[in-house]
Amino acid sequence: MSDKKIKGSCLCGEVAYAAGSLRIFQSCHCSRCRKNSGSAYAANLYGDPKEFTWTKGSEQVGVYVHEHAKHFSTAFCKKCGSALPWKSKNGKVMVIPAGTLDEHPGIEPLQNLYWGSRAPWYKSAADLPKHEGLPVKEK
Amino acid sequence: MSDEKINGSCLCGEVSYVITGNIGIFQYCHCSRCRKFTGSAHAANLFVTPEQFAWIKGSEWVGVYVPEHTRHFATAFCKQCGSALPWKSKSGKVVVIPAGTLDQHPGIEPMQNIFWGSRAPWYKSAADLPAHERLPVSGS
């Protein structure tokens, strides 16, 4: 199963990719991941850059290489702004934003990183009411 | 306290904004669009009115995407670093603030999950996973 290529794409569909050798899946609560995703944390898989290919729309991929970061960069669709896979600065890892996957990657989140940097407002989703769709308005 | 100014900004700092109050909604959205856009397991969004929102800096760097087939949903992002940014719903009635871009505590906290039925097939609660304060020691 580890040889299987997993497909992903952005929201608008302009950009698509295939990724292989996905070996780590984790939630990162660092401030950069929170800024980039706009969410409480990033959900990232690590893959092999040699087994990663853009299958569509690579010209629509914007890349931001953070000057003061050791590994961190970002990539995004220039049309819809979706997060997209980015290569670590040392070129060794392809970081795949799990939310952009179109299929189950075969592995599941295994840990939280930078828990000490989590948002001051962070609450676990598990502790909050869960509405299957949109909740009914109260008034 | 509700008219306290709360600032937000993108990763690279080109774009910043201010909100003054909110409409009392802060929620995690697990819908497929929010997962695609954020790249995460769910979005964390705070709602304000257009009157409670203003760009402070770099509005020319804000990219906007308005999908054809949505009722409310749109996106906004920094054209330099790709960070999510506040976007106005199609109706124009609310501005949706990606909470990860806030620079301060907004005074309210997440209250609910929506579109839980659409959550990622791989979703696991962070609460059920080991939490490393920083980077864990390499396992191999």
Side-chain angles (χ1 to χ4, degrees):
Chain A
M1 288 297 285
S2 63
D3 293 339
K4 191 191 171 196
K5 289 277 165 57
I6 304 295
K7 291 174 184 162
S9 59
C10 66
L11 175 67
C12 71
E14 287 284 330
V15 182
Y17 64 85
S21 290
L22 302 175
R23 64 181 189 277
I24 294 177
F25 192 167
Q26 56 196 9
S27 303
C28 183
H29 297 252
C30 84
S31 61
R32 289 172 183 150
C33 280
R34 289 189 281 112
K35 284 282 185 193
N36 184 42
S37 68
S39 190
Y41 55 84
N44 288 328
L45 294 113
Y46 287 11
D48 184 346
K50 292 196 272 306
E51 295 191 43
F52 179 88
T53 49
W54 298 110
T55 54
K56 186 183 165 198
S58 62
E59 72 281 1
Q60 286 280 0
V61 180
V63 172
Y64 173 66
V65 179
H66 199 282
E67 190 182 351
H68 301 293
K70 193 171 169 192
H71 303 291
F72 189 84
S73 299
T74 71
F76 56 98
C77 172
K78 291 191 274 189
K79 183 180 180 187
C80 69
S82 291
L84 283 171
W86 49 273
K87 199 186 282 188
S88 69
K89 275 185 166 182
N90 64 12
K92 289 183 181 170
V93 179
M94 205 74 197
V95 179
I96 317 285
T100 65
L101 294 173
D102 292 322
E103 50 195 333
H104 195 298
I107 55 175
E108 295 191 337
L110 52 96
Q111 61 190 7
N112 296 284
L113 291 195
Y114 288 102
W115 183 251
S117 300
R118 68 191 181 281
W121 45 260
Y122 180 74
K123 282 200 169 186
S124 171
D127 296 335
L128 303 174
K130 299 171 181 72
H131 301 279
E132 287 296 303
L134 273 178
V136 177
K137 282 186 182 168
E138 285 170 21
K139 49 187 175 182
Chain B
M1 289 298 284
S2 65
D3 54 4
E4 186 184 355
K5 290 187 187 314
I6 305 292
N7 296 301
S9 58
C10 66
L11 176 68
C12 71
E14 285 290 339
V15 183
S16 61
Y17 65 86
V18 62
I19 59 172
T20 309
N22 60 71
I23 61 172
I25 297 175
F26 188 171
Q27 60 195 13
Y28 294 150
C29 182
H30 297 253
C31 83
S32 61
R33 288 172 183 145
C34 280
R35 290 189 281 113
K36 284 284 186 192
F37 176 54
T38 62
S40 191
H42 55 75
N45 289 329
L46 183 67
F47 289 19
V48 306
T49 66
E51 294 74 28
Q52 291 170 323
F53 177 84
W55 296 112
I56 294 175
K57 183 183 158 203
S59 62
E60 70 278 11
W61 279 100
V62 180
V64 172
Y65 172 63
V66 181
E68 195 179 344
H69 301 292
T70 62
R71 191 163 164 206
H72 303 290
F73 188 85
T75 72
F77 55 99
C78 172
K79 290 191 274 190
Q80 176 164 275
C81 68
S83 291
L85 284 171
W87 50 272
K88 195 182 278 192
S89 73
K90 278 185 167 180
S91 68
K93 289 181 182 171
V94 295
V95 178
V96 179
I97 312 291
T101 64
L102 293 171
D103 293 323
Q104 292 128 32
H105 194 299
I108 62 170
E109 295 190 337
M111 58 178 64
Q112 62 189 7
N113 297 282
I114 65 167
F115 288 105
W116 181 253
S118 301
R119 69 190 179 281
W122 45 260
Y123 181 75
K124 280 200 170 186
S125 170
D128 295 333
L129 303 173
H132 302 278
E133 286 298 303
R134 294 175 54 83
L135 276 175
V137 177
S138 178
S140 53

